[in-house]
Amino acid sequence: MSDVIVLTGLQADSRYQYQAGWFVHANPSQPLGTLQEPPLQWPQAIYCLRTLPRARDAAYAYIVGSCRYLRLTAGIPRAPERGDRTFAGIQRIVDQADPPIRGLLMTGDQVYLDDLNIVAPDRTYKDILFKYRTVFSQPHIGKLMSGVPTYMILDDHEIEDNWPANKQLNDEILYANAMSAYQLYQASHSPAHELSSAGTLSRPLQQYWYTLAHGDIEWFVTDSRTERNLSPDDRRILDARQERSLLQWLVNSTARVKFIVTSVLFYPDSKRNDGDAWQAFPQQRLRLLESIRQHRIQNVIFVSGDVHGSMTSRLGHSEDADFEVHTIVSSPFFNSELLPYATASDFIFESPMVRSEKGDYRYELTSPVIGQDNFAHLQVTAQSVRVTFHDCDGRPLEVVEIPLR
């Protein structure tokens, strides 16, 4: 019961109403050519969407977040309304936002297939689909996603904790089931598919990473989970093709602001290096930073989640005063009582992130580390990216201005 409909010919910056209905035929074995259209009983709900503005310099705003925990016990969701409360809080911001919210970026762990990893992780296709249906059918997230463009990328819990480092010999079926469900429920929201000449989605899906262009703002949403190479000879968090595409995009894009989404932290580094974030792939991270610095690319902002804590941070270079990148970390939408929140003491701030012959890369916090359920509201203006972290009810917690050059 999941599909994608491609709409063409819509007008820019316009509001559209739509309804969605379906029917199930009593005899699915009957040939399609002999089916008679049954009377449709349309649901009462009328939904609204707004298309993007045409002007390149239009104002844009986004919601960013990650990590929505939902435990199923014996097939019954445990207090699902607690996690759905955050999406009600996001809806309050959407209803009042000026400029309008142009996208909801979910940067990983939208589901936890391994919520009871030791006892009974979801492994069968039936169980995985049930988890997705339960997560996305909660009332507030359903209402939010019906009216706001939603872009997603996976992290490890869409498969299992710290995938693929923890991969076992019998996990091939798990991976196939998890990624099939991911394509249905998450990749389908995103422009990872190309359109065929007939205006339909091309299949099969060639990759999970993709780009977005909204006026003079562009996003590169990386897949930092399924293309990893853990070999010590060529250790990568992105495969060679994705790295090359990312570098080409950075150099060739004329966008004023460039957001790079990576589900795990680009920085800051953790004192407990578990080998899962960019910290464990230092050569590839340095190649990316050196390309940004040498090509003098401005207004690059990394966006991530994963760590169950939110913050902003600035990265500079000891010998190059013009180099500057920022990171926005937003996590979690809803935490498990079994998992801790991040604190500033979890990260390394005393020493350089990278020492090289060309100089040292050093970062500093530009906000407190927020240790509670939250999400981020990004407003891109001519002078800055304003980041407002909100609690689960939509109340502001912290406001940070990231200056643009």
Side-chain angles (χ1 to χ4, degrees):
M1 299 295 289
S2 178
D3 207 344
V4 175
I5 300 171
V6 179
L7 303 178
T8 59
L10 302 184
Q11 300 298 310
D13 205 11
S14 299
R15 185 172 177 267
Y16 288 87
Q17 293 181 332
Y18 71 95
Q19 288 179 285
W22 61 90
F23 70 91
V24 178
H25 198 270
N27 184 8
S29 63
Q30 184 177 352
L32 289 177
T34 64
L35 290 179
Q36 294 185 358
E37 182 175 323
L40 296 181
Q41 301 296 320
W42 286 96
Q44 292 298 310
I46 298 177
Y47 304 102
C48 297
L49 62 86
R50 177 173 288 279
T51 55
L52 294 172
R54 195 183 309 277
R56 181 170 172 80
D57 59 351
Y60 284 87
Y62 303 90
I63 300 293
V64 172
S66 65
C67 305
R68 187 276 180 89
Y69 187 86
L70 176 65
R71 180 190 295 181
L72 292 177
T73 303
I76 300 173
R78 179 176 177 181
E81 69 280 358
R82 293 174 59 197
D84 202 37
R85 175 181 174 183
T86 301
F87 297 100
I90 295 174
Q91 186 68 58
R92 294 186 186 100
I93 302 302
V94 169
D95 291 341
Q96 302 169 6
D98 184 20
I101 301 299
R102 300 298 186 179
L104 167 62
L105 279 294
M106 295 188 182
T107 65
D109 295 340
Q110 281 70 249
V111 297
Y112 280 69
L113 300 187
D114 56 349
D115 58 340
L116 294 174
N117 197 42
I118 298 175
V119 180
D122 293 320
R123 301 184 71 88
T124 69
Y125 196 46
K126 179 181 178 181
D127 288 344
I128 290 171
L129 290 180
F130 180 71
K131 172 64 68 65
Y132 268 101
R133 285 197 301 270
T134 303
V135 167
F136 288 126
S137 64
Q138 299 306 313
H140 295 303
I141 193 174
K143 179 181 179 182
L144 178 66
M145 291 173 61
S146 71
V148 178
T150 306
Y151 307 96
M152 304 181 184
I153 194 65
L154 79 162
D155 199 18
D156 53 343
H157 294 290
E158 273 87 358
I159 310 167
E160 68 178 9
D161 187 38
N162 280 14
W163 180 271
N166 290 343
K167 180 181 178 182
Q168 304 296 316
L169 292 176
N170 60 344
D171 278 349
E172 287 79 5
I173 295 177
L174 163 66
Y175 181 74
N177 290 339
M179 297 314 297
S180 179
Y182 172 76
Q183 290 189 36
L184 282 173
Y185 283 91
Q186 296 201 54
S188 60
H189 287 266
S190 309
H193 289 276
E194 294 182 358
L195 284 179
S196 70
S197 58
T200 59
L201 297 186
S202 60
R203 300 180 187 277
L205 190 62
Q206 301 298 316
Q207 66 208 27
Y208 298 120
W209 46 272
Y210 56 90
T211 59
L212 303 172
H214 291 171
D216 61 359
I217 302 165
E218 292 188 12
W219 297 73
F220 193 111
V221 180
T222 68
D223 171 12
S224 56
R225 183 56 61 183
T226 74
E227 296 186 353
R228 296 185 177 205
N229 184 350
L230 303 182
S231 167
D233 298 330
D234 186 25
R235 190 172 174 83
R236 291 175 172 273
I237 196 169
L238 313 178
D239 74 0
R241 177 171 168 264
Q242 186 179 177
E243 179 184 350
R244 185 167 58 251
S245 297
L246 175 56
L247 293 176
Q248 290 173 349
W249 173 81
L250 277 166
V251 172
N252 296 330
S253 170
T254 60
R256 182 173 61 98
V257 183
K258 299 179 178 68
F259 290 105
I260 301 174
V261 174
T262 168
S263 57
V264 295
L265 261 63
F266 193 74
Y267 73 89
D269 289 346
S270 173
K271 291 179 180 177
R272 187 180 67 88
N273 182 7
D274 60 2
D276 195 53
W278 282 84
Q279 176 182 7
F281 302 84
Q283 290 82 11
Q284 191 171 43
R285 181 169 65 174
L286 181 58
R287 287 197 301 270
L288 182 54
L289 289 173
E290 282 292 280
S291 181
I292 294 171
R293 188 179 69 82
Q294 292 171 7
H295 287 91
R296 312 192 79 77
I297 302 171
Q298 302 292 333
N299 301 329
V300 176
I301 300 174
F302 290 88
V303 178
S304 59
D306 183 51
V307 294
H308 295 199
S310 295
M311 72 192 93
T312 61
S313 181
R314 176 191 176 276
L315 181 70
H317 192 275
S318 62
E319 307 302 320
D320 189 343
D322 289 333
F323 172 83
E324 178 179 271
V325 301
H326 292 264
T327 187
I328 300 169
V329 182
S330 182
S331 169
F333 286 131
F334 179 67
N335 202 8
S336 164
E337 62 271 19
L338 304 176
L339 300 173
Y341 292 98
T343 66
S345 62
D346 294 326
F347 304 101
I348 303 170
F349 293 103
E350 299 80 15
S351 57
M353 185 181 79
V354 179
R355 290 186 183 272
S356 70
E357 296 179 357
K358 305 292 180 60
D360 298 343
Y361 286 96
R362 290 180 174 271
Y363 54 72
E364 60 181 347
L365 275 174
T366 52
S367 78
V369 176
I370 297 171
Q372 66 181 83
D373 297 345
N374 73 97
F375 60 92
H377 176 199
L378 279 53
Q379 296 170 279
V380 185
T381 70
Q383 297 79 30
S384 68
V385 175
R386 171 174 288 185
V387 183
T388 305
F389 294 106
H390 296 264
D391 70 10
C392 59
D393 292 317
R395 292 184 292 259
L397 298 169
E398 189 72 29
V399 180
V400 182
E401 298 279 351
I402 299 176
L404 298 175
R405 298 183 174 188

